[in-house]
Amino acid sequence: MGFNLGDEFPNFSAKTTAGDIKFHDWIGKDGWAILFSHPADFTPVCTTELGMVNKMVEKFKALNVKLIALSCDDVDSHSKWTEDILAFTKDAKFDFPIIADPKRDLAVQFGMLDPVEKDSKGLPLTCRAVFIVGPDYKLKLSMLYPATTGRNFDEIYRVVQSLQLTAYKKVATPANWQSGGDCMVIPSVKKEELATLFPAGVDTKTLPSGKEYLRFTPDPSKPAKK
Ligand code: BEZ
């Protein structure tokens, strides 16, 4: 089974390196969460990924986002692995939990098994899934990478900025957008609403079709430029 965008993410129970959790309680009220899975403990790409995330925890916290990893080994193994990750990244503490999924129960339930990679017993490993869950516990974005391709966590940070902006303002973010860059007015906004909704102005591009859908406006989450 997998998930569709907008589905409520299951309120699953799990053992983690920070104790037992129920997912929604762990997220809390009004927060965002990112659950990201890994093929296995003590593997090279995963070690670089978890090290990178550990360095970015504070940046995500500033966006009101909690992070939780999952790997298909047990809590003891995860705890020993974090010592390696800390040694590799020269960090003093490991600042987010890792879910234990040794029997692949969650990996199967969430559609996260890698079709190719197997462990030493021939059991399938989890792929590199990313699930971004909003304050309503609904799935806002998912990504699936194979075990052999590490993720770009700057991109995951960027998409959270876009998800949070577009959840509250009637804009969408264009190709390669970065926070603070111009946004697109979404197609459902009528021409007569533009001045009220976008006091910083809207630049509507002239196109061969004559259709006025390419409408740029400054990032509405940033202070207006004087
Ligand atoms: C890794 O994390 O390096 C890895 C894990 C499984 C297959 C390939 C790479």
Side-chain angles (χ1 to χ4, degrees), residues 127-196:
C127 66
R128 299 182 196 283
V130 179
F131 296 114
I132 303 184
V133 179
D136 53 4
Y137 306 125
K138 291 188 176 160
L139 182 67
K140 305 298 178 188
L141 183 140
S142 67
M143 300 176 182
L144 284 182
Y145 280 45
T148 39
T149 301
R151 288 156 288 196
N152 181 334
F153 287 90
D154 289 333
E155 167 62 1
I156 294 169
Y157 181 76
R158 188 192 75 89
V159 297
V160 170
Q161 291 177 309
S162 170
L163 290 170
Q164 293 187 340
L165 175 63
T166 59
Y168 306 116
K169 305 280 182 188
K170 288 181 183 296
V171 292
T173 59
N176 291 15
W177 176 84
Q178 296 287 341
S179 179
D182 282 353
C183 298
M184 318 300 309
V185 175
I186 54 173
S188 59
V189 173
K190 297 190 179 74
K191 202 171 175 177
E192 53 274 23
E193 296 174 308
L194 291 177
T196 318

Side-chain angles (χ1 to χ4, degrees), residues 80-94:
K80 289 193 187 95
W81 182 32
T82 58
E83 290 171 22
D84 284 2
I85 299 164
L86 289 174
F88 168 64
T89 50
K90 300 183 177 54
D91 285 323
K93 62 171 182 167
F94 196 83

Side-chain angles (χ1 to χ4, degrees), residues 12-33:
F12 64 89
S13 302
K15 290 194 184 313
T16 82
T17 47
D20 293 357
I21 63 155
K22 285 257 314 167
F23 190 54
H24 293 187
D25 299 342
W26 175 80
I27 296 174
K29 288 243 172 297
D30 306 322
W32 292 67

Side-chain angles (χ1 to χ4, degrees), residues 18 23 28-29 31 55 65 92 98 110 112 114 119 135 193 215 226:
F23 190 54
K29 288 243 172 297
K55 287 187 186 302
V65 179
I98 310 176
F110 300 167
M112 297 193 302
D114 189 290
D119 69 7
E193 296 174 308
R215 302 180 292 181
K226 295 204 176 114

Side-chain angles (χ1 to χ4, degrees), residues 38-40 42-47 49 117 125-126 128 147-149:
H38 295 269
F42 303 104
T43 49
V45 176
C46 301
T47 300
E49 287 193 323
E117 300 298 333
L125 295 171
T126 32
R128 299 182 196 283
T148 39
T149 301

